């Protein structure tokens, strides 16, 4: 494996790990994003990356939201809160920069990344349901709704991730006839 293949593989693996940790372990996501950024920097090829950015039609519209947040810093009265907010939203700048300047994933890699996200969502639901069932059986308390149910994230984020996972599964079902029997059973369940 040469250097370029190593960095591409690392890019894919870290991206799949980010997709998995988003719904189930959000505290691992920022270090993985930093690791993805470090891999992007160490990879080099900045002239090639700048060339990709210049001709990528998605880059400017996607980072414009972060630019608007940054411009808003000139009008805010609470600068410390504003800078903290910009730091939290830094992924709105980092992800487009990394993904728009890197080589595109092959479809098989994209499928695996989406599957990692679905697996993360399923893992999160199983853990939350198990916890709620255990709480009900041990103490009689019902933790099947809202904040009591969602252990890892705010319930609105968790539900958004679950809805996205359902949409991904539905899109996979549209290609249902191309799947093996084992995959059909897994996606159906």
């Amino acid at each position: 494996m040469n250097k370029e293949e190593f960095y591409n593989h690392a890019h894919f693996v870290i991206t799949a790990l980010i997709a998995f940790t988003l719904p189930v372990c959000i505290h691992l996501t920022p270090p993985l994003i930093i690791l993805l950024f470090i891999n992007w920097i160490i990879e080099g090829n900045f002239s090639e990356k700048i060339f990709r950015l210049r001709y990528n039609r998605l880059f400017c519209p996607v980072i414009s939201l972060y630019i608007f947040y940054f411009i808003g810093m000139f009008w805010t009265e609470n600068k410390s809160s504003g800078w903290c907010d910009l730091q939290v939203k830094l992924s709105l700048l980092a992800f487009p920069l990394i993904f728009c300047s890197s080589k595109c994933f092959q479809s098989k890699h994209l499928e695996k990344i989406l599957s990692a996200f679905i697996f993360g969502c399923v893992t999160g639901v199983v853990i939350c349901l198990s916890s709620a069932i255990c709480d009900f059986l041990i103490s009689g308390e019902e933790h099947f709704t809202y904040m009591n149910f969602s252990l890892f994230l705010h319930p609105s984020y968790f539900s958004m991730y679950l809805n996205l996972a359902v949409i991904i599964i539905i899109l996979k079902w549209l290609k249902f006839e191309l799947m093996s029997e084992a995959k059909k059973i897994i996606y159906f369940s």
Side-chain angles (χ1 to χ4, degrees):
M1 179 182 291
N2 64 26
K3 284 175 60 173
E4 183 179 351
E5 289 173 350
F6 174 79
Y7 292 125
N8 288 338
H9 185 69
H11 181 75
F12 159 68
V13 169
I14 296 167
T15 303
L17 286 172
I18 289 170
F20 175 80
T21 59
L22 273 174
V24 75
C25 191
I26 195 69
H27 300 296
L28 287 177
T29 306
L32 288 170
I33 293 171
I34 292 168
L35 191 60
L36 183 67
F37 189 68
I38 290 170
N39 181 65
W40 181 81
I41 289 174
I42 293 174
E43 180 185 23
N45 298 335
F46 291 108
S47 60
E48 192 176 315
K49 289 176 181 180
I50 291 170
F51 178 80
R52 284 191 195 113
L53 286 178
R54 286 183 65 198
Y55 293 102
N56 191 317
R57 293 181 182 176
L58 290 176
F59 180 65
C60 287
V62 172
I63 66 161
S64 63
L65 179 61
Y66 189 82
I67 292 170
F68 286 132
Y69 281 125
F70 183 77
I71 292 170
M73 283 297 297
F74 295 110
W75 287 278
T76 187
E77 293 179 10
N78 191 350
K79 297 278 188 205
S80 64
S81 177
W83 287 115
C84 183
D85 195 37
L86 276 179
Q87 180 184 356
V88 169
K89 291 177 172 54
L90 196 57
S91 62
L92 292 174
L93 181 64
F95 280 136
L97 180 67
I98 293 169
F99 290 114
C100 289
S101 67
S102 299
K103 289 183 179 177
C104 293
F105 287 118
Q106 296 175 359
S107 60
K108 67 179 181 179
H109 291 128
L110 190 57
E111 285 287 324
K112 288 179 182 179
I113 291 168
L114 294 176
S115 294
F117 178 74
I118 292 169
F119 186 65
C121 288
V122 169
T123 303
V125 167
V126 167
I127 292 171
C128 290
L129 272 175
S130 299
S131 174
I133 290 170
C134 286
D135 288 344
F136 181 73
L137 293 176
I138 292 171
S139 65
E141 295 179 20
E142 292 187 23
H143 291 166
F144 293 98
T145 58
Y146 201 56
M147 292 297 286
N148 292 327
F149 181 76
S150 183
L151 301 174
F152 307 110
L153 299 165
H154 189 276
S156 60
Y157 288 114
F158 193 49
S159 65
M160 180 181 66
Y161 289 151
L162 295 179
N163 284 325
L164 179 59
V166 168
I167 289 170
I168 293 168
I169 290 172
I170 289 171
L171 290 174
K172 286 178 179 268
W173 274 355
L174 293 176
K175 299 188 252 179
F176 204 64
E177 63 275 352
L178 303 174
M179 288 186 196
S180 67
E181 288 298 318
K183 278 190 176 183
K184 288 179 185 178
I185 292 169
I186 289 170
Y187 284 120
F188 181 76
S189 60

